[in-house]
Amino acid sequence: MAYSDLIKKYAEQYGIPQFFDVICAVMMAESGGRVPDVMQASECPYNTKYPKKPNGITDLEYSIEVGVHYLADCLHGAGCSSPSQMDELSLALQGYNYGNGYIGWALENYGGYSEANALEFSKLMQQKLGWSSYGNPKYVAAVMKYLVFTGGGVWGSPFIGKNWNDAVSSEFGYRVDPLNGSQAFHEGLDIAYPTGTPINAVSGGVVTSVVFSETGYGHHIRVDCGNGVQVLYAHCSDIFVTKGQSIAAGQVIAEVGATGRVTGAHLHLGVLVNGEEVNPREYISQ
C-alpha cells in the first residue's frame, strides 16, 4: 500500500484502474515490496532499460510501470475486463507469471486456465529450455491469498439482490441454543432462506476445505481470504467449488440447506481472524 499512488498512476495510464487490488496482490506475491524490482518485471518485454535477468530492474517506479503494462496486456489477452471474471483473471495471472505464450496456448488447447494445464505448460517449458523448473504452476493461488478486500475494504453480499438482513434468524454472540435450550455462544450469523437459494461468496480467496457431513456444520466450505482471514459457509445443500479452487467475491459457491445440526434451512456464515471468531457484520456488505 506504500506504493498506492504509483500503482494508481500506471493503472490509469494502461487502462486497468479497476484492477488496483489485483496489482497490489501481484506485487505481494512477487516480492512483498522488499526489493526495487517490486513487480519482478525485469524479464517482461517492456523492460528496455535494465538487464533482463531476475531483479535486473533497480528503479522501483520503473518496475511498477513495466509490470502494470505487462499485466494489462495479459488481462487483455485473457479477455478479462473486471476482477470478478475469475476464469479470465486466473488465465491472465498465470500468463503474467509464465509469459512465453501461455495464454494463447491455454485458450487453444483447453479453452482457458486450470492448475493442471499450468503444470503441463511448466513441464513443456522445462523440456524445451532444458531447465529443472519453470515458473510457479500455483501462481494464481499465490496471488489470490493476498486479494482479500475489494471495493475499498467492503465485502460483498452473501445473497446478492436480496435484503438478507430481514432473513437473519440468529445474530453473532450469546443466545439460547435452539436445540437444547441452554445458553451458548453463537460464533456466526444465521440467515434463513429456503433450501436451494444460491449463496454468493462475500470475498475472494482460496477454498481450503469442502466437507460433506450430516453432523455439526453439515456440508460446509472454508475459504482462506488472506491476511489470517477465513470465511465459513455452513449447512449447505449443495456445493459448487472444490478444495484449492480460487474464487471471486460474488461468485455462486453453494446453495442453502439444512444439513448438520440445524432446526431448519439457513446459511451459517462465520468469519475468523487469526483463528478467532469475529462478528461477520463488521465485514459484510449490507
Side-chain angles (χ1 to χ4, degrees), residues 44-90:
C44 289
Y46 296 113
N47 172 25
T48 60
K49 296 182 179 180
Y50 293 89
K52 289 184 179 291
K53 63 179 183 179
N55 290 305
I57 295 176
T58 56
D59 180 329
L60 185 146
E61 180 170 351
Y62 187 68
S63 175
I64 294 173
E65 178 182 3
V66 171
V68 171
H69 191 176
Y70 187 57
L71 180 60
D73 277 6
C74 292
L75 291 165
H76 178 74
C80 185
S81 59
S82 168
S84 65
Q85 294 174 283
M86 182 52 59
D87 291 342
E88 292 83 357
L89 179 59
S90 297

Side-chain angles (χ1 to χ4, degrees), residues 1 9 16-17 22 35 46 50 79 82 108 123-124 132-134 140 166 172 176 195 199-200 215 240 255 275:
M1 297 311 294
K9 173 184 174 180
I16 56 170
V22 174
V35 295
Y46 296 113
Y50 293 89
S82 168
E108 180 179 352
K123 291 179 178 178
L124 288 172
S132 60
S133 63
Y134 182 85
V140 174
D166 290 345
F172 177 87
V176 175
T195 294
I199 300 168
N200 303 102
T215 62
F240 306 129
E255 292 179 345

Side-chain angles (χ1 to χ4, degrees), residues 170-212:
S170 187
E171 295 281 353
F172 177 87
Y174 283 97
R175 66 171 185 177
V176 175
D177 189 303
L179 288 172
N180 60 28
S182 62
Q183 190 80 358
F185 188 81
H186 184 234
E187 67 278 9
L189 194 66
D190 287 350
I191 308 172
Y193 277 117
T195 294
T197 303
I199 300 168
N200 303 102
V202 295
S203 178
V206 178
V207 178
T208 56
S209 66
V210 173
V211 176
F212 292 92

